[in-house]
Amino acid sequence: METAEGAEPTALTEEQREIRRTLRELLDQHTGPPAARPATPAPEGYDPALWARMSGELGLARLALPEEYGGAGRGTPELALACEEAGRALAASPLLATSVLTAPLVAALGTPAQRAALLPRIADGGLTCALAAPGGSLAHALGLTGDNTTGAWAGDGRAGGIQARPAPEGAPGSWLLYGEAEQVLDGHSAGLLLVAAHTGGFARSRTLLYLVRAEEAGPGLVRTRHPGLDPTRSPATVQLRDVPAELLGEDPADPADITRALAAAGRTAAVLLAAEATGAARGALERALGHVTTREHSGRAAGTLHGARHRLADLHVQVEAARSLTYCAAREPGPGPESGPLALAQALEALRAAAGEAVPPHDTDRYGRRAAADELLFGPAGRLRARAAERTGLLGEAAA
């Protein structure tokens, strides 16, 4: 059975191999095995020194951003490699919330002034971000588990959710936000919040995106970090009480443009989340195989270990199939509406299966928690597959 250094799902360029090698060395140095890490993470939910090296020395924060804003101008395959290595180490970092979920929306929808003000700060790692959707409906907002064009994921402008109204004495484009969002990844620590909110009241409700700069928000912004299923993910509740905000993009904004951009970001995010999940699954298998090898060298329970190797071989095939599907989706010029979610569904199932074989039990808990947290936020796998089938017409009119 091959280890993580086995056959690649696609030929890598020398630059891609260097990204993987240097990031793996850095993460192995900083994180070590899951069982050796402190139980209580830093207040930020990640190690700021590690993120500074990931974003500064390795340039991960700027990897997929446009070159004109300080980015490296690379594509999804390079970022997928970074996410896979971060998943293998179960590393906590702002990479997912900032570079995968939020920065692409700022790049796609922001005005030239907004892009010039924000993207260089994101690229150098100095500004972290979070995407806040009402009701904790992030997967639906991104079009992964439901149709995000109906507005149902944001409450359709009814009571609840987040409401936006023009600031009575503010400059053009100034708004006030009132409401609450739950399950906001890195919402407690991000310097920039990208918030989905309603404007226009119930009859003319539109869901738009707004920029909230934490340092300018004032006392109306209350952010509470919650202990999540996975200690390497940091979900938070974000409460906004007449918090000043700025519309993302031109005013007036077209809600259809926003839902399309959210869906496009969701398709790419699904690929990168799949890469992260397959990396975590490979990490679990590495540790399980190492445990079996150690026991074999000690001469223990040959029959039991033979059965364990067979199970690990089957899991290896499952994980590598998910990895191949992930990189096929990553190579597409803009993942199709079904390839990213399907890759994510298979990767989540592979991670859940691999977590069951991880040893010692503390590792099983760590990998299992990552699988459960990802399914809670971005799945579950069955809904990802159902939505992909719906979009491709496989379920027919009854499913539409």
Side-chain angles (χ1 to χ4, degrees):
M1 186 179 70
E2 296 177 13
T3 66
E5 298 298 335
E8 295 293 344
T10 181
L12 299 181
T13 66
E14 187 58 37
E15 181 185 39
Q16 290 170 338
R17 291 182 185 278
E18 183 65 12
I19 290 171
R20 187 178 68 175
R21 183 189 65 79
T22 54
L23 180 55
R24 179 172 294 193
E25 289 177 355
L26 176 63
L27 292 175
D28 285 346
Q29 173 188 347
H30 271 262
T31 62
R37 298 178 203 167
T40 304
E44 295 87 352
Y46 58 89
D47 181 351
L50 174 60
W51 175 242
R53 294 192 64 184
M54 290 172 68
S55 57
E57 291 181 23
L58 303 187
L60 297 189
R62 64 175 179 269
L63 198 59
L65 289 176
E67 294 181 79
E68 61 186 298
Y69 298 110
R74 298 297 184 264
T76 304
E78 287 78 13
L79 196 51
L81 282 170
C83 288
E84 183 184 354
E85 289 304 315
R88 173 181 172 271
L90 292 183
S93 83
L95 185 66
L96 174 58
T98 298
S99 301
V100 174
L101 296 177
T102 309
L105 291 167
V106 175
L109 297 172
T111 65
Q114 288 169 340
R115 293 196 295 267
L118 298 173
L119 292 181
R121 295 178 61 199
I122 295 173
D124 67 18
L127 179 64
T128 58
C129 310
L131 177 60
S137 53
L138 187 58
H140 199 166
L142 295 170
L144 297 178
T145 57
D147 181 5
N148 73 346
T149 64
T150 66
W153 59 273
D156 286 320
R158 296 177 174 84
I162 302 172
Q163 308 297 323
R165 60 185 177 89
E169 298 179 0
S174 297
W175 296 75
L176 296 176
L177 303 186
Y178 193 98
E180 180 177 296
E182 299 176 342
Q183 297 295 319
V184 181
L185 282 178
D186 294 349
H188 68 291
S189 61
L192 179 72
L193 296 172
L194 184 56
V195 182
H198 291 287
T199 185
F202 174 58
R204 301 172 55 199
S205 175
R206 299 175 297 150
T207 301
L208 306 177
L209 293 176
Y210 297 86
L211 298 165
V212 174
R213 293 169 173 82
E215 70 271 13
E216 302 172 6
L221 177 64
V222 178
R223 306 189 284 176
T224 306
R225 180 184 176 191
H226 301 292
L229 287 171
D230 177 7
T232 68
R233 301 283 199 221
S234 296
T237 296
V238 176
Q239 296 174 311
L240 307 111
R241 302 292 182 263
D242 286 338
V243 170
E246 176 187 348
L247 180 69
L248 178 66
E250 303 290 347
D251 192 2
D254 184 350
D257 289 342
I258 291 171
T259 54
R260 281 193 293 267
L262 282 166
R267 291 191 293 270
T268 301
V271 175
L272 299 174
L273 283 160
E276 190 185 65
T278 56
R282 286 162 70 89
L285 283 179
E286 286 176 16
R287 292 185 60 74
L289 180 59
H291 180 74
V292 170
T293 301
T294 299
R295 294 186 67 193
E296 284 177 339
H297 289 165
S298 68
R300 298 179 187 173
T304 302
L305 296 178
H306 183 70
R309 274 197 168 270
H310 273 291
R311 292 197 307 274
L312 292 180
D314 290 341
L315 278 173
H316 175 77
V317 171
Q318 183 180 357
V319 171
E320 288 303 305
R323 189 167 182 251
S324 295
L325 183 59
T326 296
Y327 279 94
C328 285
R331 292 197 303 271
E332 292 182 7
E338 74 288 338
S339 59
L342 288 177
L344 178 56
Q346 187 153 340
L348 289 174
E349 290 175 342
L351 173 54
R352 193 186 321 120
E357 292 293 333
V359 284
H362 186 69
D363 275 5
T364 301
D365 185 56
R366 294 258 189 177
Y367 291 107
R369 283 174 176 267
R370 169 60 67 88
D374 280 0
E375 287 218 65
L376 179 64
L377 286 169
F378 302 105
R383 290 182 63 185
L384 289 164
R385 284 199 174 92
R387 176 60 183 157
E390 182 182 321
R391 283 185 292 200
T392 54
L394 293 181
L395 296 185
E397 294 182 2

